[in-house]
Amino acid sequence: MVVKTSTLQDVARVANVSTATVSRTLSNPDVVSESTRTRVAEAVKATGYRINRAARNLRTQRAHSVLVLLPDLANPFFSMILEGISRHLSQEGYSMLIASTKQVHDSGERLIDYLDDARADGMIILDGGLDPEVVDMLESAPQAKRILFACEWIDGTSFPSVRCENREGARMAVNHLYALGHRKIAHVTGPEGNVLMHRRKDAFIDEIAKLKLEHKPDWIIAGEFSLAAGCRAAQAWIALDDRPTAVFCASDQLAMAFIAELSRHAFKVPEDVSVMGFDDIGLAEQFIPPLTTIKQDRLMIGETAAKMLMARILPAKDKNLNHAAVLPVSLVVRKSTTAPH
């Protein structure tokens, strides 16, 4: 039995419009009325019509996809950012490709090859720790205007970026703990050299000084954005002769692992020490105890990044291009922080 493939003419017949109108609606929906878009969409669904993407890409000289580069595919922090990116790209008829920095480097493949080979029309990078030679290559590439950083960024470069108020978040964290009565506050940092680590650490130190609180060098505990680093940080806190009564961790993952390791050593949170994180990932509310944290609107980060990039891929959509977007953060108080005992 031969199964008939629906054609553009079939869609036009069901929608009662011309084939030119169908083509225009599918390729550039903003130029037709909402009623026409609705009729064509219903006709596409009724006929089972499938867009010939290969033919469309050849005609428009576009891949209709965007590459998103992550530093760690396993980190749950990125899930809602990816959802936000995907949500907006799908509205534009674009798809999302995902790769990790390590994956690209290990394969010996240049990032710019994705754009050179027309596999992607643009790139959103969520890794501020790229090697300097890679950054130089990206800045000098002809496609540099279609590359954008989100969440993390690289100081001194010309790339547009989307980020949150990291310094304000760290100040909120210190002041929340201070308001509870804590006067000895430690900080577990992100990875050395990471732009987020420096923004949050510097703001923490500045706010501690502003409040005239005691500060000891070993109350700044080196970490990374990982569970293993959180466990090591807890062990470092346990080993201190003079333990701070509160700990602000540079990420929720760090904070959760910190709490879990303390529990293994019979310390209780928040009775023995208050602990808070940064990010408000999905597990933060369900964790035991529920985690006090600084919330980044990760869905908004993703959607904003996708909108800003699409404005560069399709410049006719927006002539006033934003170079940087700095999104607000908020304090989410749960049960992992309390007044010192």
Side-chain angles (χ1 to χ4, degrees), residues 275-287:
V275 179
M276 64 181 300
F278 198 116
D279 293 332
D280 197 28
I281 62 176
L283 186 58
E285 188 173 8
Q286 282 74 42
F287 197 70

Side-chain angles (χ1 to χ4, degrees), residues 139 144 147 154-161 323:
E139 281 199 292
I147 298 173
I154 299 177
D155 285 329
T157 65
S158 58
F159 295 112
S161 65
H323 186 74

Side-chain angles (χ1 to χ4, degrees), residues 197-254:
M197 173 271 196
H198 288 293
R199 290 295 191 278
R200 296 170 190 176
K201 176 185 172 183
D202 292 348
F204 172 85
I205 293 173
D206 289 348
E207 202 64 18
I208 289 292
K210 180 180 176 182
L211 294 170
K212 296 181 170 55
L213 297 181
E214 183 179 4
H215 172 66
K216 294 184 178 182
D218 57 5
W219 290 359
I220 302 290
I221 303 172
E224 296 175 349
F225 296 138
S226 69
L227 295 172
C231 292
R232 292 193 299 269
Q235 293 162 9
W237 179 86
I238 292 170
L240 292 173
D241 293 328
D242 185 12
R243 297 184 187 125
T245 60
V247 179
F248 164 48
C249 297
S251 78
D252 287 351
Q253 266 199 322
L254 275 171

Side-chain angles (χ1 to χ4, degrees), residues 162-184:
V162 180
R163 65 186 77 168
C164 282
E165 286 279 11
N166 289 282
R167 290 186 61 87
E168 179 61 21
R171 286 194 290 266
M172 285 181 179
V174 173
N175 280 282
H176 167 66
L177 296 171
Y178 181 84
L180 289 173
H182 294 280
R183 298 298 180 264
K184 296 180 178 181

